[in-house]
Amino acid sequence: MSSAAAGSPAHILAFPFSSPGHIIPFLDLTRLFITRGLTVTVLVSPSHVHLLQPMLSSSSSIQPLVLDCFDSFQSASGLPAKIRATARLYDPILHWFRSHPSPPVAILSDMFLGWTQQLASELGVPRLVFWPSGALTASVSNSQWRNLPKNDYPGNENSLISFPEIPNSPTYRWSEITPFCRDFKKGDADYEFLRSGMLANMESWGVVFNSFSELESVYLDHIKKIVGHNRVWAVGPLLPPEERVGPTNRGGSSSIPAYRVKAWLDEKADDSVVYICFGSRVTLPRKQTEVLAAALECSGVHFIWCVKAADEGRVGSEDGGIPDGFEDRVGERGFIIRGWAAQVEILSHRAVGAFVTHCGWNSLLEGLTAGVLMLTWPMGADQFTDAKLLVDQLGVAIRACEGGPQRVPDLAELTRLLAESVSGSRPERSRVAALREAARKAVNANGGSSTKDLEELLKQLGGLIKDGRKINETNY
C-alpha cells in the first residue's frame, strides 16, 4: 500500500483486546499506521508487550503503554466479566491522556471495548472501532444485541432464527446464535455491560474492518446505513507483508522450527497436503478428534495437524488428544505440530492445497489469501457466520462438520471430502483461486480497494489536527 497523509503526523491511542484472534490483526494494522507516518501508542498488557518488539526495534513512531493495573482483570471468569473488568482502565487512561504533552487525537479500540466510546466522548476525541472479524458478523452481532433473539420452540436447538433486515437474510440454528445473546442474563451487570458496549460500537465516529470490499461489499454498505455515515473502512486482509513471509513471531513463536516444516512440505507435490488447525482457543472434543484421525488415516492424504499442546496427555479429559498409535500408523504422511504453528507460512507453501478450519476470521482470510480450498468446521462465536459466507454465498469452501462441539461428522463422508479436497476435482477450487486474486489486488499499492480505504482513513486522521490543535472537538 502506498504512503498517505505524509504531512500529518497524527498521534492515536490503539487499544486491542487481549486475545490472539483480536490482537494479531490489530497489530498488523498498527504496523501499517506507523509505516505511513502516524504516531501510535499501543495499550497492552505486560504479557503482550513482546508482540510489539518487531515494530519497537524498527520504528520510533510506536510506544507501548503498560498501565500498572492492566493485569488486575485478567483473572476474571468468563468473557462478559473480562470485558467489564477492562473498564477499570477508564480512569488511568483518562489521567494518562490529560497529563500527556501531546495526547492522541483519536482512540482506536477493539469491538469488545465499546465502553471506550464514552471515554473518547469525555476526552473530546473521536473513537474508531476495530472489528477483527467481517462486516457480515458485525451486522448479525448488531442485530442480535439490539433485539435479543428468542427461540419460539424452547428446547429445540435446531430452531431457525432469521435476520431479514440483513442482506441475503441469513438464517441460523438456535445453537449457532452467540451464547451471550442466546442465554442473556437480564439484570446481570456483566451481561448488561457487554450489551451496552456492543451497541455503542455503532455510535463510533469510524468503523474499521479487517476485510475487503470484493469479499463483503454488500455488508459494508449495510454497516454504513446502520451508522449513518461513510466513515467505514475495509483495510484487509491484514497480514504480514509478503517479503516477511518466513519465520516470524507474529502472534507467537512456532513450537517447531520453521525449517523442519518447510523441509517436510518441500518433498510433497503441489496442492497435495491438507492443513488442519482449529485456532488458538478451540479444542476438539474427543469423539470429533477420533473421527478426524480415522478419516485422515483412511483417506491416505498427506497432512499437517496442529493440536494444542496443553490438551495432549490429559488423562480422562473429554478434549481430544492425538489417539494412541496414530502417528505410527500414518508415518511420513502426517506431520503433527503441538502448540503454535506458523499458519501464514504453512498455508502459503505450494504443497498445501486444503485447509480444515474452525472458520475464525483470521484463518478465513489467511486461507483465502493463500488460495487453498477450505473445509469448514465451525465451533462457536462468529465461526458459523463465517462458514455460511464461505460455503453458501461465496462457494469457495466445503462443509466438513457443523453445529459445534455436539455434532460428530460421518467418518465415510469426511474421508471422502479429505481425499477430494486435494484431488483438484472440486469446483470450489477455481472460485477460491479467483477470490485469492481479489484479496491480493485489494491491498495492492496501485489502487487496491483496501489501499484506497486505508489512505482515506489516514487522511481523516490527519485532518483531526490543525496547527497542533484538535479541531471540531465538540462533534465527538
Side-chain angles (χ1 to χ4, degrees):
M1 295 183 182
S2 61
S3 178
S8 304
H11 176 201
I12 67 168
L13 175 67
F15 188 178
F17 185 70
S18 296
S19 174
H22 291 243
I23 196 170
I24 291 174
F26 199 109
L27 294 183
D28 286 333
L29 177 59
T30 300
R31 175 182 54 79
L32 294 180
F33 282 164
I34 64 174
T35 57
R36 284 152 180 82
L38 268 67
T39 298
V40 184
T41 298
V42 184
L43 178 57
V44 290
S45 67
S47 60
H48 284 119
V49 173
H50 71 282
L51 297 178
L52 275 63
Q53 192 53 49
M55 289 183 284
L56 291 171
S57 61
S58 61
S59 174
S60 60
S61 296
I62 181 172
Q63 293 295 327
L65 173 60
V66 184
L67 298 174
D68 293 339
C69 59
F70 205 115
D71 281 335
S72 64
F73 60 83
Q74 299 294 322
S75 60
S77 178
L79 182 63
K82 287 182 182 294
I83 292 173
R84 184 180 177 218
T86 62
R88 298 173 192 167
L89 295 171
Y90 190 108
D91 288 337
I93 296 174
L94 202 66
H95 174 74
W96 176 82
F97 247 90
R98 289 173 171 169
S99 61
H100 198 286
S102 181
V105 297
I107 295 174
L108 172 71
S109 58
D110 187 87
M111 41 83 80
F112 277 152
L113 305 173
W115 59 265
T116 57
Q117 177 69 21
Q118 180 181 342
L119 172 68
S121 178
E122 183 171 350
L123 288 166
V125 299
R127 182 246 176 167
L128 297 86
V129 56
F130 175 71
W131 285 83
S133 52
L136 172 56
T137 289
S139 300
V140 174
S141 172
N142 178 70
S143 182
Q144 289 183 88
W145 286 112
R146 197 162 296 282
N147 300 292
L148 292 171
K150 296 180 181 179
N151 188 352
D152 294 331
Y153 304 95
N156 182 2
E157 291 291 293
N158 293 318
S159 179
L160 297 180
I161 309 297
S162 61
F163 297 87
E165 75 279 10
I166 298 174
N168 296 313
S169 301
T171 300
Y172 304 91
R173 294 190 185 97
W174 178 251
S175 60
E176 297 171 344
I177 297 296
T178 302
F180 306 113
C181 291
R182 187 178 64 217
D183 303 320
F184 188 78
K185 299 175 182 177
K186 190 173 182 179
D188 181 282
D190 294 337
Y191 277 73
E192 296 285 0
F193 186 87
L194 172 58
R195 184 185 186 192
S196 65
M198 295 303 292
L199 292 176
N201 286 327
M202 295 305 171
E203 301 171 6
S204 60
W205 178 81
V207 186
V208 185
F209 285 104
N210 180 19
S211 188
F212 57 103
S213 63
E214 294 83 355
L215 180 66
E216 293 195 291
S217 61
V218 65
Y219 302 114
L220 291 165
D221 288 342
H222 181 66
I223 293 295
K224 291 176 182 178
K225 291 179 181 178
I226 293 175
V227 299
H229 57 74
N230 289 324
R231 292 187 299 275
V232 176
W233 300 286
V235 298
L238 292 169
L239 297 170
E242 288 193 11
E243 63 269 18
R244 281 184 52 198
V245 169
T248 72
N249 65 345
R250 178 179 179 263
S253 299
S254 176
S255 61
I256 291 180
Y259 73 86
R260 283 187 53 197
V261 183
K262 184 178 184 301
W264 185 87
L265 285 169
D266 285 346
E267 296 178 352
K268 306 299 182 287
D270 290 2
D271 298 324
S272 66
V273 175
V274 179
Y275 173 62
I276 306 108
C277 184
F278 292 87
S280 60
R281 300 176 65 85
V282 174
T283 301
L284 285 186
R286 183 167 297 280
K287 289 182 179 179
Q288 290 190 353
T289 303
E290 290 172 349
V291 171
L292 175 56
L296 288 168
E297 190 172 345
C298 295
S299 66
V301 299
H302 296 274
F303 64 90
I304 293 177
W305 188 357
C306 180
V307 297
K308 291 174 66 177
D311 298 316
E312 286 286 286
R314 295 197 298 163
V315 178
S317 171
E318 290 300 313
D319 296 330
I322 299 296
D324 292 340
F326 172 76
E327 292 176 78
D328 291 334
R329 292 192 297 272
V330 297
E332 180 60 18
R333 281 201 298 112
F335 194 106
I336 307 297
I337 298 177
R338 292 173 171 83
W340 187 269
Q343 183 161 289
V344 173
E345 293 75 34
I346 291 172
L347 289 172
S348 65
H349 195 283
R350 58 159 184 81
V352 177
F355 179 18
V356 179
T357 172
H358 68 312
C359 299
W361 190 252
N362 290 328
S363 292
L364 179 154
L365 290 178
E366 290 163 6
L368 287 179
T369 305
V372 298
L373 177 61
M374 284 177 276
L375 280 68
T376 64
W377 196 319
M379 300 293 286
D382 64 335
Q383 296 155 23
F384 298 110
T385 299
D386 299 344
K388 285 183 179 292
L389 178 66
L390 288 174
V391 177
D392 297 335
Q393 297 183 33
L394 300 174
V396 297
I398 309 167
R399 284 189 180 86
C401 185
E402 59 182 352
Q406 303 306 316
R407 293 177 181 262
V408 179
D410 178 77
L411 173 58
E413 176 67 6
L414 183 57
T415 300
R416 180 183 68 83
L417 290 178
L418 287 171
E420 287 185 1
S421 71
V422 290
S423 70
S425 61
R426 298 288 308 205
E428 294 87 354
R429 186 171 293 281
S430 61
R431 290 194 285 266
V432 76
L435 201 51
R436 171 197 180 190
E437 292 308 307
R440 295 191 170 199
K441 287 180 180 178
V443 295
N444 189 286
N446 298 316
S449 60
S450 293
T451 298
K452 291 179 179 178
D453 270 21
L454 177 64
E455 290 174 342
E456 178 60 27
L457 169 57
L458 293 169
K459 180 180 178 182
Q460 294 267 6
L461 290 174
L464 295 174
I465 56 174
K466 185 177 182 181
D467 298 328
R469 301 187 303 275
K470 294 188 290 293
I471 62 173
N472 298 328
E473 290 184 42
T474 57
N475 292 337
Y476 312 128

